[in-house]
Amino acid sequence: MPKMKLGAAFYALIAVGELVCAGLVYSGHGDYAVGEPWFLAVVAVLFALTGVLFGVGAVTRRGLVADEGPWICRRGWMVVVGLIGAMFVALLLSDMGRIATFPNPVIMFIPHSIKRLQEKYYEGRAEAASSRGVPGGGPGTGS
C-alpha cells in the first residue's frame, strides 16, 4: 500500500496536540494545578511519548499499523494502547480525586481507523480507474 498523505497530516495534528497536552500537564494548567508532582511528571511523559509515537507515524508516512517498514510502524498501535493503560494506572494510583480529567481511550483506535480509511480510498481509486478502462490505477501512472 502506498504511503499516507492525509493520514500523515492527521497523525501530525494528533502528535502536536499530545505534545501541547504534555506541556500543559507538566506546568500544572487547569485541573492539574492541584496534582502531585510525581503524577504531573508521569502523565506529562506519557502524553509526550504518545505524541512522539504519532509524530513518528506522521514523519515516516506509514502510520502505526503499517504492513511493512520498521517495527514501530507495524506495531506502534500496541505501544499506544500500553501508554493509555499506563495513564489509567497513574490516575488510579494518584490521590487526585479532584482532577476531573480522564485518559482518552479513543486515541488508541485512531491508527486502525486511518488505515481503514486509506484502504477504502485506494480501493475506490482502483475501482474508478477500472471503470474508466485505465490500466494500472489511474492518473499519474504514465498511461
Side-chain angles (χ1 to χ4, degrees):
M1 185 178 312
K3 291 185 176 183
M4 297 185 301
K5 293 177 184 159
L6 290 176
F10 193 64
Y11 269 89
L13 182 66
I14 292 171
V16 169
E18 290 290 310
L19 292 172
V20 167
C21 285
L24 291 174
V25 167
Y26 189 72
S27 66
H29 187 268
D31 286 342
Y32 290 102
V34 295
E36 300 171 5
W38 73 267
F39 176 72
L40 297 179
V42 167
V43 172
V45 166
L46 292 172
F47 272 124
L49 288 174
T50 305
V52 167
L53 273 175
F54 276 94
V56 167
V59 169
T60 62
R61 292 181 33 199
R62 294 182 189 273
L64 299 175
V65 192
D67 296 326
E68 56 192 32
W71 181 88
I72 198 69
C73 292
R74 289 180 283 122
R75 302 285 183 244
W77 65 273
M78 288 190 262
V79 179
V80 170
V81 170
L83 290 172
I84 297 299
M87 281 189 198
F88 277 111
V89 170
L91 187 63
L92 290 174
L93 292 177
S94 72
D95 189 26
M96 295 288 101
R98 300 173 297 238
I99 292 182
T101 58
F102 196 67
N104 190 359
V106 174
I107 203 162
M108 65 185 157
F109 299 110
I110 290 174
H112 289 289
S113 300
I114 290 175
K115 182 177 181 182
R116 181 88 171 132
L117 289 171
Q118 181 185 7
E119 288 171 350
K120 290 297 181 185
Y121 170 76
Y122 285 112
E123 285 175 12
R125 285 194 58 154
E127 182 179 323
S130 66
S131 70
R132 287 191 309 248
V134 178
T141 59
S143 51

